[in-house]
Amino acid sequence: MKLTAEISMYPFREDYIEPIQWFIDRVSTYESIERKTNAMATQVCGEYTDVMQMLAIEMQAAHEKFGKSVFVCKFIGGALDLGHQQ
């Protein structure tokens, strides 16, 4: 089953760009997961277990490296076209 997720990271620090870019760069290394980033969030799409495992691994890594951060996620079962524009 496919899963599409949107995730936003809010680090509790003034230099918030560095941890956000670090997280996006790490998410980009997963070849089985499609990623699209805009100014507000990152959308990912892939097999359900791949997406959930990636999020668990990378959110934990971000917390360990940068400390407190809030992650806001939205999930929808199925694959969405991440390149869609209106």
Side-chain angles (χ1 to χ4, degrees), residues 7-10 23 58-60 62-63 67 69-73:
I7 185 164
S8 298
M9 179 183 184
Y10 300 95
F23 182 80
E58 298 308 333
M59 289 189 325
Q60 180 178 350
H63 285 130
S69 293
V70 172
F71 288 91
V72 177
C73 300

Side-chain angles (χ1 to χ4, degrees), residues 18-80:
E18 177 191 354
I20 292 170
Q21 188 61 58
W22 179 89
F23 182 80
I24 292 168
D25 290 345
R26 288 184 54 115
V27 168
S28 298
T29 66
Y30 290 78
E31 294 180 9
S32 65
I33 297 174
E34 180 185 1
R35 179 196 60 81
K36 179 88 170 178
T37 299
N38 61 43
M40 295 289 294
T42 295
Q43 293 88 29
V44 294
C45 184
E47 289 299 322
Y48 194 101
T49 54
D50 292 346
V51 171
M52 294 302 283
Q53 287 174 351
M54 177 275 295
L55 289 175
I57 290 166
E58 298 308 333
M59 289 189 325
Q60 180 178 350
H63 285 130
E64 289 172 349
K65 183 169 178 68
F66 296 106
K68 293 180 180 175
S69 293
V70 172
F71 288 91
V72 177
C73 300
K74 295 187 279 185
F75 301 95
I76 184 165
L80 296 181

